[in-house]
Amino acid sequence: MTKTPASGGTGPGSAWAPLALPVFRALWIAQFVSSVGTWMQTIGAQWLLVGHGAALVTLVQTASSLPVVLLALPSGVLADRFDRRRLLIVAQFAMGAVAAVLAVLAFAGVLGPVSLLALTFLLGCGTALMGPSWQAIQPELVARDQLAQAAALGAVNMNLARAIGPAIGGVLVAAAGAGWTFAFNAVSYLGIVVVLLLWKRPRDTAATGAEPERFVSAVLAARRYVRHAPGVRRVLLRTALFIPGAAALWSLLPLVAADSLGLGSGGYGALLAVVGAGAVGGALLLPALRAVLGANGILAAGAVLVAVTLAVLATVRVPWVAAVALLPAGVAWIAVLSVLNAAVQTRLPGWVRARGLAVYLLVFQGGQALTAPLWGGLAQGAGLRVALLAAGALLLLAAATVPLLPLHDAAHIDPTPSDHWPAPPVVHEPGPADGPVLVSIVYRVRPADRAAFTAAMAKLARSRRRTGALTWGLYEDAGEPGRFIENYLVGSWAEHLAQHHTRTTVTDRRAEEAARAFLLPGTHPETTHALDATTGGQSLGI
């Protein structure tokens, strides 16, 4: 991953460089205000349920995160098919309306646990809708070499809000009631709406002139891409190993504050503020940490730090000791998430970026949604101390797997569209939905290079499948050793044209060049395209 030098300025290598860009800066400020409102509401919601048992308290996190599990991939499809700016505006208005309903019910004194969790779930649906779009517009706001800084600043934003929002929310709940936290949250969405309305977003060049994908086809394309992208899969695996244990910190902290430390809502808000302050400090340290530890070192050290924090929370009963222990947890949280977020951003091409990020968000939020009730149930059944120590042990196990399952080096990955394939000459232009399309390519290779060529073609096979191939095979002519035929099937003519013009990246081109380096001198690949004759198509010789 790109290492950025530590700098206090806003030069190109500075951690703060993206804030020099007006649109990024305006959205960052608006997001901060909205995040403060979200954390204030979280305090209000969790504190309303503290007296109803550990399991019910942890369900607030589940209600917020579960919609991402259910809706992340469909939301990613929408973000890749439609205008992301408009989707974000719709999501902000919808979440503001739900928060307003929460405030009205709270002020009327009729907000019970069921309605609170149901409306929290609806807010989570809005978050699920906006998540892929929000992540996918980041490369439109900053240059590729600033994506790591932008990811870190996004984490700073969230954690700075965590440092301020809970403290304000705790005081507000104690002084005036939870309804006011919901009311502030409802208003906080308006800032993002204003900035998005003023943003003159360039036309999505990736979609220009392209046939819109059908919904189901788009979902299947995302699944194929992730399945055949080892770098993306490894990021998802590292996320899945870190999140379940780390999620216990957020889901069990209200119980630690109330039961172990004897704190009220204001004290709980102060503990969250300490985590947020640690995270802000971690963002400042991130360039130095990258230089010293590297991406994989940060993943291992971050898991260990959070595990130690959980062990301290399980054993101490002194608030200031718990607060000191939460500082490094904030540093670890922002460092790990910044590494994972930047890793997935830099590995995804534009045509599938929102869907790929949706899968990442699904793993991230799904890990929290599915494990939060488990930690709550364990705390209620076996005790809070047991739950905290179990989560810490899980994180130590995750740290131990980093040397065995590290993030892949991204230096050789370039997701920039290549568009180096010539348009296939055809006698009759097929319709976009015509297909499937069989692509056959003949290569002539020296028999002595057979093993090296087939190894290079195995890497090219992943490229074909990522960009749309349903099936792929490589065959050697039994009557002419060294003559190889590559066959792959694409679902429709529109998808194959997308392979030609928008889906094939510089990384894919390099894989092709590596395989073609073994061709006999003076020969070149011979390509044919054919449509399924049983569906009325006709063979298209090239």
Side-chain angles (χ1 to χ4, degrees), residues 110-459:
V110 294
L111 184 60
V114 174
S115 55
L116 174 59
L117 291 172
L119 290 168
T120 301
F121 179 85
L122 289 179
L123 279 174
C125 291
T127 301
L129 177 62
M130 72 169 286
S133 295
W134 186 270
Q135 294 284 346
I137 66 170
Q138 300 307 305
E140 301 178 37
L141 304 176
V142 302
R144 174 178 164 80
D145 60 1
Q146 291 183 346
L147 279 175
Q149 294 106 304
L153 285 171
V156 167
N157 191 306
M158 178 182 67
N159 287 284
L160 187 60
R162 180 182 283 130
I164 296 174
I168 299 174
V171 171
L172 197 56
V173 169
W180 287 102
T181 64
F182 303 146
F184 182 90
N185 189 44
V187 176
S188 71
Y189 294 109
L190 296 179
I192 294 178
V193 171
V194 171
V195 176
L196 289 172
L197 288 173
L198 295 175
W199 176 31
K200 305 300 182 184
R201 180 178 181 242
R203 189 179 180 187
D204 187 356
T205 55
T208 301
E211 184 73 17
E213 292 180 84
R214 295 180 179 178
F215 187 87
V216 174
S217 297
V219 171
L220 294 176
R223 188 180 69 176
R224 276 197 307 272
Y225 187 91
V226 171
R227 180 181 177 186
H228 297 288
V232 174
R233 288 205 316 272
R234 184 56 58 84
V235 175
L236 298 178
L237 176 61
R238 295 288 359 145
T239 305
L241 289 172
F242 176 75
I243 289 300
L249 179 65
W250 310 115
S251 57
L252 298 177
L253 193 56
L255 302 174
V256 171
D259 299 342
S260 299
L261 303 177
L263 300 175
S265 62
Y268 170 49
L271 291 180
L272 283 176
V274 170
V275 181
V280 173
L284 298 176
L285 294 173
L286 190 58
L289 291 175
R290 282 182 186 277
V292 174
L293 299 175
N296 289 300
I298 288 175
L299 295 180
V304 170
L305 279 176
V306 179
V308 170
T309 299
L310 291 171
V312 172
L313 295 178
T315 55
V316 305
R317 297 294 182 268
V318 183
W320 72 265
V321 176
V324 171
L326 287 170
L327 274 172
V331 175
W333 179 261
I334 193 174
V336 170
L337 293 195
S338 295
V339 165
L340 293 172
N341 192 285
V344 74
Q345 287 270 12
T346 53
R347 286 163 170 79
L348 290 169
W351 70 270
V352 74
R353 182 179 296 126
R355 281 166 283 179
L357 287 165
V359 176
Y360 166 71
L361 291 173
L362 190 155
V363 174
F364 176 77
Q365 296 283 7
Q368 297 184 74
L370 297 177
T371 57
L374 297 180
W375 296 128
L378 185 61
Q380 192 162 314
L384 182 58
R385 184 172 182 270
V386 171
L388 289 167
L389 292 176
L394 193 60
L395 281 168
L396 291 177
L397 181 62
T401 65
V402 172
L404 301 174
L405 299 166
L407 292 179
H408 298 314
D409 183 13
H412 65 285
I413 298 176
D414 186 350
T416 307
S418 178
D419 197 14
H420 64 283
W421 290 3
V426 294
V427 177
H428 302 285
E429 182 68 27
D434 288 349
V437 181
L438 176 66
V439 182
S440 298
I441 308 175
V442 176
Y443 307 88
R444 286 179 170 81
V445 179
R446 287 191 300 269
D449 291 331
R450 182 184 188 281
F453 173 73
T454 55
M457 289 299 291
K459 294 182 180 179

